[in-house]
Amino acid sequence: MTVIYPSPIFGPVHSRRLGVSLGINLLPADGKCCSFDCIYCECGFNHDFVPKQKMPTQEEVSTALEAQLVKMQKEGIAPNVLTFAGNGEPTLHPHFAAIIDDTIALRNKYFPKAKVSVLTNATQIVKQPVFDALCKVDNNICKLDTISADYIQRIDRPNGCYNVEKIIEQLKKFGNRCIIQTMFMKGEYNGISADNTGDSFVQPWLQTVAEIQPREVMIYTIDRETPAHQLQKATPAELNAIGTQVEQLGIHCSVAY
């Protein structure tokens, strides 16, 4: 079942990787807005969910977030994390940097132990305001499914110009201020393999991870229904084997099946 999230606040939900997570969706509530059109996206293909509504304003996000934090405080529910996610790419919001500042201030006021996380496909990190804002959050979680430009075009399907080498160079500037997140899967799409679990994908990816030197790597596989129906989960054994190789680089790796 395709998931379209409320906006600007949803949850709290339980995240496989982050714990009790209060979601912040900077995209419209009635559709997707993303610089990728991944074939495995739980929100479906972009063209099937074109939004008619606008993105929430900076003020709307701040007001709704504070109201929810006050409610959770009264109910005795403490979030582990405030997570920017939802119906697409959060860094596309024109006031993303200012919203990050607002969110950190509200977190400090109501739940200072909570972390602020951003799930981003990293397409916008070449923009200085976005880069600087991501340096301020606790968990800057950047997607890097592969370093194969061909695979990215077929599977992540960028909208517009995308240069993976340029993105990797920018990820290196984050260093241990970022977490690399990678989807591993099998199956096929349009008759072409979508499997990125083999050595031809994993070894160059590992080399790049070693060059980036992130604080952590998160690897995972398909968890919900995907718009491309011939995709398959990577096995626990495959994920564990990749995770072990990351750990051998001296970088912590979390694995979600």
Side-chain angles (χ1 to χ4, degrees):
M1 180 177 178
T2 300
V3 180
I4 297 294
Y5 292 92
S7 179
I9 306 299
F10 63 94
V13 299
H14 181 75
S15 165
R16 285 187 294 169
R17 287 153 284 166
L18 302 172
V20 178
S21 172
L22 182 63
I24 305 172
N25 177 20
L26 301 187
L27 291 315
D30 64 336
K32 281 188 68 182
C33 184
C34 196
S35 47
F36 273 174
D37 192 14
C38 299
I39 66 171
Y40 58 77
C41 182
E42 65 183 19
C43 297
F45 290 131
N46 293 358
H47 63 76
D48 290 330
F49 298 94
V50 177
K52 295 185 176 66
Q53 298 178 18
K54 295 181 179 180
M55 295 180 183
T57 65
Q58 178 186 347
E59 182 178 1
E60 287 170 342
V61 174
S62 179
T63 299
L65 177 58
E66 183 163 25
Q68 182 63 27
L69 292 176
V70 168
K71 180 174 182 287
M72 292 177 73
Q73 195 175 64
K74 288 179 179 178
E75 294 173 348
I77 301 172
N80 298 113
V81 62
L82 311 179
T83 306
F84 286 82
N87 304 335
E89 175 51 39
T91 61
L92 291 176
H93 195 289
H95 302 294
F96 174 75
I99 291 171
I100 289 294
D101 289 339
D102 291 346
T103 300
I104 291 172
L106 289 170
R107 182 275 307 272
N108 292 345
K109 180 177 180 180
Y110 293 102
F111 293 102
K113 293 183 180 180
K115 305 296 185 183
V116 176
S117 297
V118 179
L119 300 177
T120 174
N121 62 23
T123 57
Q124 307 301 303
I125 64 173
V126 293
K127 297 178 179 178
Q128 197 63 44
V130 171
F131 182 89
D132 292 343
L134 289 172
C135 287
K136 297 177 182 179
V137 304
D138 301 289
N139 298 316
N140 166 27
I141 305 172
C142 295
K143 173 180 290 296
L144 184 65
D145 286 340
T146 180
I147 67 165
S148 165
D150 174 68
Y151 187 92
I152 290 168
Q153 289 298 321
R154 291 189 293 105
I155 306 303
D156 293 335
R157 307 199 304 172
N159 296 316
C161 182
Y162 177 87
N163 185 322
V164 67
E165 294 178 358
K166 189 174 181 180
I167 296 300
I168 289 168
E169 288 306 308
Q170 196 74 351
L171 287 170
K172 291 178 184 177
K173 296 177 184 179
F174 282 131
N176 63 11
R177 289 175 295 182
C178 84
I179 296 170
I180 295 297
Q181 181 192 71
T182 302
M183 163 72 80
F184 286 102
M185 62 183 179
K186 300 162 77 172
E188 63 179 39
Y189 179 63
N190 287 339
I192 301 175
S193 174
D195 189 341
N196 65 336
T197 63
D199 279 349
S200 63
F201 286 98
V202 173
Q203 295 308 313
W205 172 83
L206 282 168
Q207 182 178 340
T208 300
V209 167
E211 293 170 359
I212 294 170
Q213 283 293 302
R215 186 177 86 231
E216 181 182 346
V217 171
M218 294 178 171
I219 63 174
Y220 66 124
T221 192
I222 296 165
D223 184 45
R224 298 187 175 99
E225 182 179 347
T226 60
H229 299 302
Q230 292 183 304
L231 302 179
Q232 301 168 10
K233 293 170 73 79
T235 67
E238 288 166 331
L239 291 175
N240 285 334
I242 296 168
T244 297
Q245 293 179 81
V246 174
E247 294 277 355
Q248 289 171 347
L249 299 174
I251 299 170
H252 174 63
C253 185
S254 62
V255 182
Y257 308 124

